[in-house]
Amino acid sequence: AHKSKEWDGPSLNYGLDDNIVKANINNTSERQKEVADQIRKSKTSSGASTTFTLRKGRRKSTLANRNLLKKNLSNNNNNNSNNNKVEKPLIFKTLTFQEKEKIKPAIIAVQAYIRMRLQQKKYRKMVRNEAYRTNVAKEILDTELLYVKSLEWMQSHYLENVKECCPEGLNLSGIRNGCRIIVGYSKMLLDELEPRINNWSRNQCIGDIFLNLFHYMKVYTQYVKDYTPTIEQLMKVKEENKAFEKLLTDLHLQTERGLSFESHLIMPVQRVPRYQLLLRDMVKRTSETHVDYQNLHEAEEKIAEVGNYINERQREFESISKVMDIANKFGEQFASERLAGIKK
């Protein structure tokens, strides 16, 4: 019946009509062929070259189809296993009351050790910062004492002696007036700093002192304006007047620290940036919860503004001095054009 569409054998109707039996057999063989054609089309369209044979009403695939089927099954199993690994929930063992009581002392000991180490680290950092703050405060006081002493020495030793025999072309009046004002301001600062720093403690404050005396620091701007032309005049007079140069050399040899006149003149120019650096270090080592933190921070910002202004003015004066040198070499017309551009 599977090899032919028609039945040629003996009648096997078992009480049924031969025509009915033949019709059922023909319908069965046609249905099997339709199924086989559908399977062949579906496999051929997917790229698999397969053939099917119908034997005794069963479908059997070729070797290629079996390998493909195995590969698909293995991929599905791998995907399922991966999904199971990702989605597999963590299982924690629930401890009994007796087990909890056994490990409870060990857990408490570990927690206490961790808290102790954190407190030790925090305490060591606090001690280091406090020691650093103390050193910065002492440095502010020591450098201020030395600064005032040097300015007073410049007033009494250099400026007074040079005033009696000041040559033409050298104007020291601006430097003299500025130095006198700065010395007065620095003495006021010392009077405020000395009692606090000499009695230094962890909660001691100095930020309010710099905030209250901040406006006096603007006198440094005028000093910087007078400093650059004075230095240029001094260098020129020393080249032309050898007697004046010898006087300055003799005064230099008499100084306690061995600093020249020029080294004393530049001290006020360098002092404001030094204030800024010292206060910046103090702010870094002061806790934000400290009572003096806000005052120190504001004082550092305001002094930084004065320092930036001084640096800009100094660069401007240096540029003007370079233009004046060009004027002496290449003519006044070219230099005047460059000078007008700088001022703009």
Side-chain angles (χ1 to χ4, degrees):
H2 296 287
K3 294 180 181 179
S4 176
K5 295 182 180 180
E6 297 180 356
W7 177 254
D8 296 332
S11 175
L12 297 175
N13 53 7
Y14 298 100
L16 299 174
D17 190 6
D18 290 338
N19 294 327
I20 296 173
V21 172
K22 290 182 180 181
N24 290 333
I25 292 172
N26 292 333
N27 292 333
T28 301
S29 62
E30 290 178 359
R31 180 60 182 165
Q32 289 177 351
K33 287 183 179 181
E34 291 177 359
V35 171
D37 291 337
Q38 291 178 0
I39 294 173
R40 189 182 298 109
K41 290 179 181 180
S42 63
K43 295 297 181 179
T44 304
S45 61
S46 62
S49 58
T50 57
T51 58
F52 287 86
T53 57
L54 294 175
R55 293 183 180 178
K56 297 181 181 180
R58 297 178 181 179
R59 294 172 295 179
K60 294 184 180 181
S61 62
T62 60
L63 182 61
N65 288 324
R66 291 177 183 176
N67 293 335
L68 182 62
L69 181 61
K70 290 180 180 180
K71 185 176 180 181
N72 293 331
L73 291 174
S74 62
N75 291 334
N76 292 331
N77 292 331
N78 291 332
N79 294 331
N80 293 331
S81 62
N82 293 331
N83 294 330
N84 292 333
K85 289 181 180 179
V86 174
E87 297 177 358
K88 186 176 181 180
L90 296 175
I91 299 175
F92 296 95
K93 181 182 178 182
T94 303
L95 300 178
T96 62
F97 179 78
Q98 291 78 8
E99 292 174 340
K100 291 180 181 179
E101 290 297 323
K102 287 182 180 180
I103 65 173
K104 186 176 181 179
I107 294 175
I108 294 174
V110 171
Q111 292 175 347
Y113 177 77
I114 293 173
R115 285 195 296 267
M116 180 191 68
R117 296 293 294 178
L118 292 175
Q119 289 296 329
Q120 287 178 351
K121 185 177 179 181
K122 183 179 179 180
Y123 178 75
R124 286 195 295 267
K125 183 179 179 180
M126 183 183 67
V127 171
R128 287 196 302 268
N129 290 338
E130 186 57 35
Y132 195 90
R133 288 184 75 249
T134 304
N135 293 333
V136 173
K138 290 181 178 179
E139 185 177 356
I140 291 174
L141 180 60
D142 294 340
T143 55
E144 194 67 21
L145 286 169
L146 185 60
Y147 175 61
V148 172
K149 185 178 180 180
S150 299
L151 291 183
E152 289 179 340
W153 177 266
M154 182 177 69
Q155 281 183 308
S156 61
H157 191 68
Y158 279 110
L159 293 177
E160 292 299 327
N161 292 326
V162 171
K163 182 180 179 181
E164 297 176 357
C165 58
C166 184
E168 295 181 358
L170 181 61
N171 185 10
L172 296 176
S173 60
I175 294 294
R176 190 178 293 108
N177 295 332
C179 185
R180 184 177 64 254
I181 296 173
I182 290 173
V183 169
Y185 155 73
S186 297
K187 287 183 177 180
M188 292 173 58
L189 183 62
L190 276 177
D191 293 339
E192 296 285 340
L193 289 175
E194 275 187 308
R196 296 195 188 186
I197 296 178
N198 290 333
N199 298 317
W200 187 258
S201 64
R202 183 177 180 275
N203 296 323
Q204 192 62 270
C205 302
I206 60 174
D208 58 323
I209 297 175
F210 285 94
L211 280 178
N212 294 332
L213 299 177
F214 161 73
H215 299 288
Y216 292 98
M217 287 192 177
K218 294 182 179 179
V219 301
Y220 282 93
T221 58
Q222 183 61 41
Y223 184 90
V224 172
K225 292 179 182 179
D226 298 330
Y227 169 75
T228 302
T230 301
I231 287 294
E232 294 177 355
Q233 294 172 10
L234 182 62
M235 295 295 105
K236 186 176 180 180
V237 169
K238 285 175 65 175
E239 292 178 359
E240 296 176 353
N241 193 335
K242 297 300 181 182
F244 181 74
E245 183 180 5
K246 185 177 183 302
L247 174 63
L248 293 179
T249 302
D250 294 339
L251 294 175
H252 182 196
L253 296 175
Q254 297 174 11
T255 55
E256 296 179 357
R257 298 178 59 196
L259 296 177
S260 63
F261 185 36
E262 294 85 349
S263 299
H264 282 85
L265 288 174
I266 201 174
M267 281 184 179
V269 179
Q270 297 173 339
R271 189 58 185 168
V272 174
R274 187 69 179 275
Y275 286 139
Q276 182 182 354
L277 292 176
L278 291 172
L279 288 178
R280 184 181 298 171
D281 289 341
M282 184 69 78
V283 171
K284 287 181 180 179
R285 299 295 179 170
T286 303
S287 174
E288 294 183 358
T289 58
H290 197 278
V291 64
D292 197 30
Y293 178 81
Q294 189 64 29
N295 290 334
L296 286 172
H297 185 67
E298 292 179 5
E300 190 268 331
E301 288 182 348
K302 291 184 177 180
I303 292 176
E305 294 177 2
V306 178
N308 294 332
Y309 175 79
I310 290 174
N311 292 331
E312 291 177 1
R313 295 293 298 175
Q314 190 173 3
R315 285 193 294 267
E316 181 180 347
F317 290 139
E318 290 175 355
S319 300
I320 292 174
S321 63
K322 291 179 181 179
V323 172
M324 298 305 295
D325 292 338
I326 295 173
N328 296 329
K329 294 180 180 180
F330 301 102
E332 297 181 355
Q333 182 178 0
F334 174 74
S336 61
E337 295 177 356
R338 292 292 303 275
L339 183 61
I342 291 175
K343 290 182 178 180
K344 289 181 180 179

